[in-house]
Amino acid sequence: MDELIEYAPDLLAGFAENLKLSAVCGVLSLIFGTILVGIRVSPTPVLRAAGTAYVNIARNTPLTLVLAFSSLGLSDQIGLIFSDEPSTNGFWLVVLGLTAYTSTFVCESLRSGINTVPFGQAEAARAIGLTFLQSLSLIILPQAFRAVIAPLGNVMIAMIKNTTVAIAAGYLADVAFVMKDTFDTTGVSIPIFLGIVVAFMVVVLPIGFLTGWLAKRLAVAR
């Protein structure tokens, strides 16, 4: 028990890194996913094809491979360096890979929301002279977001849990790596494991309840 108390600050610091990763990747994934869905439904065939190819490739590639490519491919081979500090560089490599991966799920969730918007609204927007970007941003996307609040919440929950594989990009400060290191050092596993599980549940359960409540509260009446 004394050993567990000794390593508790390290575990808490590791969990804080996961939360920081989740916050940064969550915001960036929503931004990039929104841009990506605009490309996916673009009236330009080349853009639609490029968006479809990216989404299908990234979404069906295991996350560990995406993160490993961020580290071994982009950083080691191409020389993409965010910082001379290894920990900071590893953090942003994880952000890059996890955002590239999660944004495809955000994109597909939003695309399903766009499909719930009556086609006549887009036709009416064009009839009054709105461009594609104007109709998308002012009419279609606001309704699409409201229609997929719960699915987007599920995407964010999955992303939070996915931060535990950050070690695949060489990031050695997340809670999963600290937990394994603590296992090896103390020989105690079950209490630590259960503590980390509870910590993640404390974060993800409120997100699920909140997005479920918002989905009902902000549902678009048809």
Side-chain angles (χ1 to χ4, degrees):
M1 182 61 68
D2 291 339
E3 289 181 324
L4 290 180
I5 295 175
E6 178 184 351
Y7 282 92
D10 293 335
L11 291 167
L12 289 174
F15 187 66
E17 289 298 311
N18 285 77
L19 294 182
K20 186 164 69 172
L21 278 171
S22 300
V24 175
C25 292
V27 172
L28 293 179
S29 295
L30 286 173
I31 294 172
F32 187 50
T34 303
I35 295 172
L36 197 56
V37 77
I39 296 173
R40 285 277 273 137
V41 299
S42 168
T44 306
V46 174
L47 288 179
R48 282 203 312 272
T52 300
Y54 174 78
V55 168
N56 287 332
I57 292 173
R59 196 161 61 104
N60 292 290
T61 301
L63 176 58
T64 50
L65 293 183
V66 175
L67 293 178
F69 176 75
S70 296
S71 176
L72 301 177
L74 297 180
S75 183
D76 292 352
Q77 298 298 319
I78 298 179
L80 178 62
I81 303 296
F82 291 99
S83 172
D84 293 331
E85 173 63 36
S87 179
T88 303
N89 189 58
F91 177 87
W92 287 108
L93 287 174
V94 174
V95 168
L96 176 64
L98 191 54
T99 298
Y101 180 80
T102 306
S103 61
T104 61
F105 291 89
V106 172
C107 170
E108 289 303 278
S109 294
L110 286 175
R111 194 165 69 92
S112 68
I114 288 175
N115 289 335
T116 67
V117 179
F119 184 71
Q121 294 196 21
E123 290 292 316
R126 281 194 289 269
I128 62 174
L130 294 183
T131 66
F132 168 73
L133 287 178
Q134 288 174 328
S135 63
L136 185 68
S137 60
L138 298 176
I139 297 174
I140 299 173
L141 276 181
Q143 296 182 70
F145 268 104
R146 291 174 64 180
V148 295
I149 292 175
L152 283 177
N154 292 334
V155 171
M156 292 298 107
I157 288 173
M159 182 209 62
I160 292 171
K161 294 185 288 185
N162 283 341
T163 61
T164 56
V165 298
I167 190 175
Y171 188 55
L172 306 181
D174 78 302
V175 72
F177 179 81
V178 177
M179 180 175 64
K180 180 184 180 302
D181 188 53
T182 307
F183 287 172
D184 296 339
T185 303
T186 64
V188 179
S189 58
I190 294 180
I192 298 174
F193 177 79
L194 293 177
I196 299 301
V197 169
V198 170
F200 273 98
M201 289 179 63
V202 167
V203 174
V204 301
L205 285 179
I207 294 175
F209 290 132
L210 177 62
T211 53
W213 177 79
L214 286 175
K216 295 178 181 178
R217 178 79 174 175
L218 301 177
V220 179
R222 300 296 184 193

